[in-house]
């Protein structure tokens, strides 16, 4: 349901959180300090208030303490990179520097041994090492994770360029590029943490990919609705569908919010329809796939609850 004051939409489901949430939050903040993300990028209070560990506890409520802590570290890293990219779009010199750094991140994901002293680079190397260990016998899952992060980093480069040159994003641009901006990254962790062994051909089945896309878009549209008050200043260059639709369709802000709320409802229906089209992969695979889809759904629902219940992040 849309609350016009905060522009919030939440997908159906029970509120869930791990019993480890407080410990994970403390571990996550300690990790940010260990790799000097705090205070180099943001003050300690920023990481305390952001509650990235709590976000991980909502997105993976049934995982182990070790695994949820790793998810919290990944979220901490991603949000720090996102903030750095926002600052990197302020002028051409910063844009060039940030773009070069994004390329280094990609090389680390692809297996390059980083020998420098960059905080974000060393932090990413730490995360990559842990993930490789968890799924050492399921390399496809790490490949999926790496691909999604590379897509995200490539999208960061595009957004820096778009904001730097004041590119007016269209609705078509949004639906083409927005899915690469974050939620996909967290999906492979569902299978990693739960020890799922789903064949590659099932992960890559068109209906499964459709389900992932719709859940990703639901997360993106919720984010747009949550963050509208903060992002309104980026109307000329932002990647928020409310602002894009407002400009492209010449809408009032209220009508643009209604449009995006309707889009959220449409994609929720698309997701539900796609679930009914899943083929029969056999009882064993069907059971594991159901766990995977439920886990991916929980990521989006958990993000909503973190953004609304825990942090009021965008209010």
């Amino acid at each position: 349901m849309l609350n016009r004051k905060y522009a919030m939409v939440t997908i159906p489901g029970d509120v869930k959180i791990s019993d480890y949430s407080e410990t994970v939050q403390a571990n996550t903040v300690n990790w940010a300090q260990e790799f000097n993300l705090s205070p180099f990028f943001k003050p300690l209070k920023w990481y305390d208030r952001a509650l990235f560990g709590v976000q991980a506890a909502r997105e993976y409520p049934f995982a182990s303490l070790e695994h949820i802590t790793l998810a919290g570290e990944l979220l901490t890293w991603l949000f720090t990179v996102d903030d750095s990219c926002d600052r990197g779009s302020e002028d051409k010199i910063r844009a060039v520097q940030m773009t070069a750094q994004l390329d280094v991140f990609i090389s680390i994901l692809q297996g390059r041994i980083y020998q420098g002293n960059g905080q974000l680079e060393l932090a990413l190397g730490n995360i990559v090492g842990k993930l490789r260990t968890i799924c050492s016998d399921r390399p496809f899952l790490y490949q999926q994770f790496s691909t999604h992060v590379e897509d995200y980093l490539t999208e960061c480069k595009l957004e820096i360029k778009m904001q730097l040159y004041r590119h007016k994003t269209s609705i078509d641009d949004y639906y083409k590029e927005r899915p690469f901006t974050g939620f996909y990254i967290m999906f492979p962790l569902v299978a990693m943490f739960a020890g799922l062994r789903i064949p590659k051909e099932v992960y890559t089945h068109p209906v499964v990919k459709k389900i992932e896309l719709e859940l990703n878009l639901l997360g993106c549209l919720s984010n747009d609705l949550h963050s509208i008050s903060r992002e309104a200043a980026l109307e000329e260059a932002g990647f928020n569908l409310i602002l894009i639709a407002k400009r492209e369709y010449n809408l009032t802000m209220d009508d643009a919010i209604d449009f995006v709320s309707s889009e959220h409802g449409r994609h929720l229906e698309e997701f539900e329809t796609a679930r009914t089209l899943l083929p029969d992969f056999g009882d064993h695979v069907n059971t594991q796939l159901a766990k995977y889809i439920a886990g991916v759904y929980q990521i989006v629902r958990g993000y909503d609850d973190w953004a609304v219940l825990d942090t009021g992040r965008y209010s």
Side-chain angles (χ1 to χ4, degrees), residues 106 109-110 145-155 185:
I106 291 173
L109 289 162
Q110 294 174 343
F145 167 79
S146 178
T147 296
H148 291 322
V149 180
E150 289 178 37
D151 287 343
Y152 162 71
L153 296 173
T154 300
E155 192 60 39
I185 293 171

Side-chain angles (χ1 to χ4, degrees), residues 267-287:
H267 284 286
L268 184 57
E269 291 178 2
E270 290 279 344
F271 162 70
E272 296 292 355
T273 298
R275 284 208 298 188
T276 68
L277 301 177
L278 280 168
D280 184 353
F281 295 108
D283 289 346
H284 179 68
V285 173
N286 288 347
T287 299

Side-chain angles (χ1 to χ4, degrees), residues 98-154:
M98 191 68 218
T99 299
Q101 188 175 31
L102 294 172
D103 287 333
V104 175
F105 296 156
I106 291 173
S107 73
I108 292 170
L109 289 162
Q110 294 174 343
R112 174 195 164 194
I113 303 301
Y114 177 70
Q115 297 181 327
N117 59 1
Q119 291 92 341
L120 284 169
E121 290 85 351
L122 291 171
L124 176 60
N126 177 260
I127 292 168
V128 164
K130 293 173 183 176
L131 289 175
R132 284 188 182 276
T133 298
I134 290 171
C135 59
S136 59
D137 58 342
R138 294 165 293 163
F140 175 72
L141 290 177
Y142 179 78
Q143 292 168 9
Q144 285 291 96
F145 167 79
S146 178
T147 296
H148 291 322
V149 180
E150 289 178 37
D151 287 343
Y152 162 71
L153 296 173
T154 300

Side-chain angles (χ1 to χ4, degrees), residues 12-246:
D14 296 331
V15 175
K16 299 174 184 175
I17 190 167
S18 169
D19 292 338
Y20 299 126
S21 61
E22 291 184 6
T23 303
V24 173
Q25 174 59 22
N27 290 348
T28 301
V29 173
N30 289 339
W31 182 85
Q33 292 178 289
E34 178 186 351
F35 286 92
N36 294 315
L37 304 186
S38 170
F40 188 85
F41 291 95
K42 287 288 187 180
L44 183 61
K45 66 180 180 180
W46 186 83
Y47 290 100
D48 275 330
R49 292 174 181 173
L51 297 178
F52 297 128
V54 174
Q55 181 183 0
R58 287 203 180 278
E59 294 187 3
Y60 305 94
F62 306 116
S64 69
L65 172 59
E66 176 189 3
H67 289 166
I68 304 174
T69 295
L70 177 53
E73 293 165 357
L74 174 58
L75 289 165
T76 299
W77 186 85
L78 288 168
F79 276 94
T80 305
V81 170
D82 187 71
D83 184 77
S84 296
C85 288
D86 286 344
R87 287 184 281 114
S89 65
E90 292 174 3
D91 60 64
K92 290 185 178 181
I93 293 177
R94 279 194 174 188
V96 170
Q97 293 171 341
M98 191 68 218
T99 299
Q101 188 175 31
L102 294 172
D103 287 333
V104 175
F105 296 156
I106 291 173
S107 73
I108 292 170
L109 289 162
Q110 294 174 343
R112 174 195 164 194
I113 303 301
Y114 177 70
Q115 297 181 327
N117 59 1
Q119 291 92 341
L120 284 169
E121 290 85 351
L122 291 171
L124 176 60
N126 177 260
I127 292 168
V128 164
K130 293 173 183 176
L131 289 175
R132 284 188 182 276
T133 298
I134 290 171
C135 59
S136 59
D137 58 342
R138 294 165 293 163
F140 175 72
L141 290 177
Y142 179 78
Q143 292 168 9
Q144 285 291 96
F145 167 79
S146 178
T147 296
H148 291 322
V149 180
E150 289 178 37
D151 287 343
Y152 162 71
L153 296 173
T154 300
E155 192 60 39
C156 285
K157 289 193 284 187
L158 175 62
E159 286 195 56
I160 288 172
K161 186 176 180 180
M162 286 166 52
Q163 292 187 30
L164 192 62
Y165 294 101
R166 300 292 183 244
H167 171 75
K168 288 184 170 61
T169 307
S170 69
I171 292 175
D172 285 345
D173 289 337
Y174 178 93
Y175 275 114
K176 179 182 177 182
E177 304 294 343
R178 185 71 162 96
F180 297 121
T181 57
F183 282 94
Y184 271 144
I185 293 171
M186 309 307 294
F187 291 0
L189 274 61
V190 171
M192 290 183 192
F193 294 170
L196 301 181
R197 296 183 177 277
I198 299 170
K200 177 180 178 179
E201 57 268 24
V202 175
Y203 281 119
T204 57
H205 190 279
V207 177
V208 176
K209 302 312 290 183
K210 171 70 171 175
I211 287 172
E212 290 180 338
L213 173 62
E214 294 303 332
L215 286 170
N216 190 333
L217 287 171
L218 285 168
C220 291
L221 292 168
S222 282
N223 179 266
D224 290 354
L225 287 154
H226 296 322
S227 64
I228 181 58
S229 61
R230 178 181 291 188
E231 295 183 358
L234 297 175
E235 183 167 358
E236 291 303 315
F239 231 8
N240 187 307
L241 189 59
I242 295 171
L243 300 173
I244 296 168
K246 179 177 180 291

